[in-house]
Amino acid sequence: MAVGTEVVKPSFANRHRALAYNLRVARMTAATEFKLKYTGSALGYVWSIVKPLAYFAVLWVVFGRFFKLGAVFDNYPLYLILGIVLWTFFVDATTLAMASLVARSGILRKMAFPRIVVPISATMVSVVTFAINFVVVAAFLVISREMPRPAWLLVPVLLVELYVFTLGLSLILATLFVRFRDVGQIWELVTQLLFFASPIMYPLGLLPPWARSVSMLNPFTQVVQDVRSLFMPNAPPRSILVAPEVLGAGGRIYPIVVSLVVFAAGLLLFRREEPWVAERI
């Protein structure tokens, strides 16, 4: 008879139940934090759409009116609000997740649970905000008289790609922020530079060819351009340049690969540092 202790590996069903439980906890935590975010405010959830609308108003006046980009194509307001809403989600999700572990240091030291739930719940707060902001996008679609079409079914797929990229980047930032607080200042600067380097308020076609290729390697740029091409199929080619036109045949593969690599790197880095997170905060 063999003597010893047998290591019993968790079954697939147990791992599946654990994953489902963690996701449910993250969803409930995100919903609770979103409600607490607006507790006591007079306008409540209305503040969720004030920020993108404020950005839209300023950028539309500056670029749509002063720089005459509104004359390039008819649906510039829709073009602009799509970029702003997607950008707001990306920046809010990464920024909230980056500081999430440090902000919950007390809970992390007292309770034992998968630490990855914390940054995931932070990104899901931004998902809720994004869902509210998309009501504004729907209003712009109605105003622009864009009729629903089967191609719109691809939009959720693109949003999933953006979330995978955002979550991977969020895990990297959250892990590094535990050790190096300077990451917060660096990321703030990087997002400001990316805002003007990304085709949010101007057409990608205005950039030189080499800059278009570099920009399209960014999954955010690819997603926002493809979402625009689905919602605005009649926009001039100069304003809607999607991956195949910039990076060649199969061009969409490159930013998708970047998204998956960033997600895998973020997950591996977080898993490696997870056992010592509470001690290093």
Side-chain angles (χ1 to χ4, degrees), residues 3 28 45-46 70 104 111 127 193-194 208-209 228 239 244 270 275 279:
V3 179
M28 294 175 62
Y45 299 147
V46 175
R104 294 161 182 79
M111 300 179 62
V127 170
L193 295 177
L194 283 177
R228 283 166 168 168
S239 63
F270 191 90
E279 299 175 3

Side-chain angles (χ1 to χ4, degrees), residues 94-114:
T94 52
T95 302
L96 288 174
M98 177 178 61
S100 60
L101 294 172
V102 175
R104 294 161 182 79
S105 58
I107 297 177
L108 293 177
R109 293 192 184 101
K110 296 176 181 178
M111 300 179 62
F113 62 94

Side-chain angles (χ1 to χ4, degrees), residues 27-177:
R27 185 176 65 251
M28 294 175 62
T29 302
T32 301
E33 291 185 1
F34 182 80
K35 293 177 181 178
L36 291 175
K37 183 178 180 181
Y38 300 103
T39 299
S41 62
L43 297 180
Y45 299 147
V46 175
W47 286 112
S48 298
I49 63 176
V50 168
K51 183 177 179 180
L53 286 178
Y55 274 128
F56 170 82
V58 173
L59 294 177
W60 184 80
V61 170
V62 174
F63 291 92
R65 289 300 206 183
F66 295 163
F67 287 92
K68 307 297 183 181
L69 287 181
V72 175
F73 48 95
D74 295 334
N75 282 345
Y76 181 70
L78 178 59
Y79 180 94
L80 182 59
I81 196 65
L82 283 169
I84 291 174
V85 168
L86 291 170
W87 176 258
T88 300
F89 161 73
F90 173 72
V91 174
D92 285 353
T94 52
T95 302
L96 288 174
M98 177 178 61
S100 60
L101 294 172
V102 175
R104 294 161 182 79
S105 58
I107 297 177
L108 293 177
R109 293 192 184 101
K110 296 176 181 178
M111 300 179 62
F113 62 94
R115 279 24 182 168
I116 198 171
V117 171
V118 175
I120 289 179
S121 64
T123 59
M124 292 182 71
V125 170
S126 297
V127 170
V128 176
T129 303
F130 174 79
I132 296 176
N133 289 341
F134 216 78
V135 174
V136 178
V137 174
F140 274 76
L141 287 170
V142 173
I143 294 173
S144 301
R145 297 181 180 179
E146 294 289 346
M147 299 301 295
R149 55 187 67 91
W152 288 14
L153 296 175
L154 294 175
V155 173
V157 178
L158 292 169
L159 297 181
V160 169
E161 178 192 347
L162 179 60
Y163 181 76
V164 169
F165 174 65
T166 302
L167 180 57
L169 194 55
S170 298
L171 293 175
I172 294 174
L173 292 171
T175 305
L176 295 178
F177 190 75

